[in-house]
Amino acid sequence: MRVALVALALVAAVGAVQHAFAPGPVGHVSESHNDVRMSAEFQPGSLYDSRRLIKVSEHVRARWMSLDAILVLRQAGVRFMDITDAQDLHDLSVSGYESTLPLELSQGDAVNKTLALLSTDLYGLVLEPFTAFHNRYYDSENGRKSSKWLQEQIEEMVAMAKANVTVSSVEHRFKQPSVVARIHGQSDEIVVVSAHQDSVNMWLPWFGRASGADDDGSGTVTILEALRVLLESSFAPRRTVELHWYAGEEGGLLGSQAIAKQYKDEGRKVVANLHFDMTGFWKRTEPEVIGLVADRTDPETRDLVKKLARAYTRLETREFECGYGCSDHASWNQAGFRSAMAFESDQLEANTHIHSPEDTVATLDFNHMLEFSKLAVAFAYEVGNAKTS
């Protein structure tokens, strides 16, 4: 909270830096950026034509902010939620769906057979072209095109498997759509496994280079590999299992809030969400672990994830606090649904390359990422095949 208040003090003085962070295509940038800035692919959309309602803490009143002020927050390292289009999620008087999680693991044989199909091959095959987009900024043509490219890879995978899976895009007020792959079950209950697909340069969001290999290309391919082996094993869950690739996480959890709000408004029975944001980097001087976000998550879901990690991965779990607006699991939590988030380590700031051109595939450990794909597969099986209500 203290960091958030300091950042808001910076925002109060944003006029002094307004020219340095101009939001439009005529911003004050060096001539070396002109070729990039003038390209239509790098022009920001209309999302920030008007101020946005930004929340930095449960304890601080949301404020209407310009893009300039939002940039100051981002550069100060403050995580936030843009609640402009999901304000009722933050003023709820009723709880979400009361779901039932498995008390004991019961899918061991099926899970282990599917885990044996996992490989690291897909990670590089997808990440190389995915990170070749100059950036995947959510309110730009690059963001839109990278999302469409990702959706095509998912659709091709599903078509080859001839599975009972529906792949769709979810359009938003900004240019980049989210992508949803729905593995149809026998029940109307829904299990959600997710990652986010966008990337952003901290200093030059809409035209700065942001390869986004770890943040969150790693999570993107972690659950894509999980989908691949689920399809290969003819996974047919009792509960419907959905894999989500969210747009606009870097803009304040925009895509996930929109989808959580939609599911809430429609009365959908979301059992739980397990989110993967950054799974590929860890300091070799520290123990290799699966980090579990302890705040703004459901304790019963966290306990289940710990059981899954012990049973199906080679890594132990360690809890840590991530802060307000940390990633998309917070949208489901805010909507009253169970959620948890798995992270590459128990040190939130370990990877200093993110939000810059240095967040490259070369910094990732594919074998480390494989443990998170195992976790995603196990979650799909154990929660997806638990007894329905």
Side-chain angles (χ1 to χ4, degrees), residues 4 70 87 205 213 242 320 373:
I70 294 169
Q87 295 181 43
E242 294 184 354
F320 70 101
S373 290

Side-chain angles (χ1 to χ4, degrees), residues 69-219:
I70 294 169
L71 289 175
V72 171
L73 285 183
R74 180 178 286 132
Q75 290 153 10
V78 176
R79 293 172 180 82
F80 60 89
M81 297 181 75
D82 181 337
I83 70 170
T84 310
D85 305 311
Q87 295 181 43
D88 51 345
L89 281 188
H90 300 263
D91 187 28
L92 293 175
S93 58
V94 295
S95 60
Y97 178 61
E98 295 184 6
S99 63
T100 301
L101 296 178
L103 297 177
E104 302 293 336
L105 305 185
S106 63
Q107 302 294 306
D109 289 345
V111 173
N112 286 318
K113 286 179 182 178
T114 304
L115 296 187
L117 302 174
L118 286 169
S119 165
T120 62
D121 294 345
L122 175 143
Y123 298 153
L125 290 173
V126 173
L127 280 175
E128 290 295 344
F130 198 50
T131 60
F133 286 94
H134 186 77
N135 60 41
R136 303 188 298 275
Y137 180 65
Y138 50 92
D139 197 25
S140 72
E141 278 300 298
N142 267 325
R144 186 188 66 80
K145 289 180 178 179
S146 61
S147 180
K148 292 300 182 185
W149 182 87
L150 176 62
Q151 182 174 345
E152 289 171 0
Q153 312 315 304
I154 299 166
E155 289 174 338
E156 181 178 343
M157 183 182 291
V158 169
M160 290 178 62
K162 299 179 180 178
N164 185 25
V165 178
T166 302
V167 181
S168 59
S169 62
V170 180
E171 298 294 332
H172 303 295
R173 285 188 58 188
F174 47 96
K175 291 187 175 183
Q176 185 180 58
S178 296
V179 181
V180 173
R182 182 179 177 92
I183 305 174
H184 298 275
Q186 304 164 21
S187 163
D188 60 353
E189 290 188 304
I190 302 169
V191 179
V192 177
V193 177
S194 62
H196 77 85
Q197 54 171 293
D198 57 316
S199 69
V200 68
N201 181 292
M202 179 184 294
W203 299 101
L204 303 167
W206 54 92
F207 63 89
R209 176 74 170 117
S211 41
D214 193 24
D215 190 9
D216 184 27
S218 62

Side-chain angles (χ1 to χ4, degrees), residues 292 298-308 310 319:
L292 278 183
D298 172 56
E300 291 183 11
T301 307
R302 291 201 311 272
D303 287 344
L304 174 61
V305 173
K306 292 174 187 177
K307 288 182 182 178
L308 297 175
R310 284 194 298 268
E319 291 192 353

Side-chain angles (χ1 to χ4, degrees), residues 7-65:
L8 288 175
L10 290 172
V11 169
V14 71
V17 296
Q18 202 152 19
H19 288 297
F21 304 112
V26 197
H28 293 265
V29 296
S30 65
E31 290 299 318
S32 64
H33 292 297
N34 278 352
D35 56 335
V36 172
R37 180 168 53 85
M38 295 305 293
S39 169
E41 292 184 344
F42 299 93
Q43 296 306 305
S46 60
L47 183 68
Y48 297 106
D49 285 355
S50 57
R51 291 174 181 266
R52 306 289 296 177
L53 187 59
I54 303 299
K55 196 169 179 63
V56 299
S57 168
E58 297 97 336
H59 311 294
V60 178
R61 179 176 56 85
R63 298 190 182 188
W64 291 97
M65 293 185 180

Side-chain angles (χ1 to χ4, degrees), residues 304-336:
L304 174 61
V305 173
K306 292 174 187 177
K307 288 182 182 178
L308 297 175
R310 284 194 298 268
Y312 299 119
T313 81
R314 60 178 175 80
L315 302 181
E316 67 176 69
T317 57
R318 289 189 181 177
E319 291 192 353
F320 70 101
E321 292 200 352
C322 197
Y324 185 82
C326 171
S327 194
D328 295 301
H329 64 282
S331 298
W332 294 101
N333 178 263
Q334 191 65 45

Side-chain angles (χ1 to χ4, degrees), residues 213-214 280-282 284 351 353 358-366:
D214 193 24
F281 181 91
W282 63 285
R284 302 308 194 274
N351 188 348
H353 304 297
E358 281 71 50
D359 185 8
T360 63
V361 176
T363 66
L364 304 182
D365 181 343
F366 287 177

